[in-house]
Amino acid sequence: MRKLPARYAGLVMPFLLSILMTFIVSLISTLRSVGLVDHFLPIWMGSWALSWMVAFPTLLLVLPLVRRMTSLLIEAPR
């Protein structure tokens, strides 16, 4: 399988992170809201899709700020 060039890492990492995080959080939130009903899967997938549509662009916007904040808290290697 061919890999993407390294220059795409700044998009791929938030893309994958947003998918995984929203998948898990929307699962928990949907289970808590409606319980394990017969039509749970379509409800969950709708919640996940909306969550991901917000999370991915948000990650792209805030990631530079989070990196700067992290560098203020973490000592650089010598």
Side-chain angles (χ1 to χ4, degrees):
M1 185 167 116
R2 293 183 62 202
K3 292 185 178 184
L4 292 170
R7 68 178 180 267
Y8 292 108
L11 288 174
V12 172
M13 193 276 299
F15 177 76
L16 295 174
L17 180 62
S18 65
I19 288 173
L20 293 171
M21 289 296 296
T22 56
F23 199 74
I24 294 166
V25 171
S26 65
L27 169 66
I28 294 166
S29 179
T30 306
L31 270 174
R32 183 143 164 62
S33 294
V34 299
L36 199 53
V37 294
D38 289 338
H39 53 287
F40 175 79
L41 191 60
I43 294 171
W44 175 28
M45 290 296 101
S47 296
W48 170 75
L50 179 60
S51 299
W52 181 80
M53 287 174 26
V54 173
F56 181 54
T58 301
L59 271 172
L60 292 176
L61 290 172
V62 302
L63 198 53
L65 175 64
V66 171
R67 284 187 178 127
R68 277 187 240 122
M69 292 169 62
T70 301
S71 70
L72 293 173
L73 298 172
I74 303 298
E75 186 176 323
R78 297 176 194 217

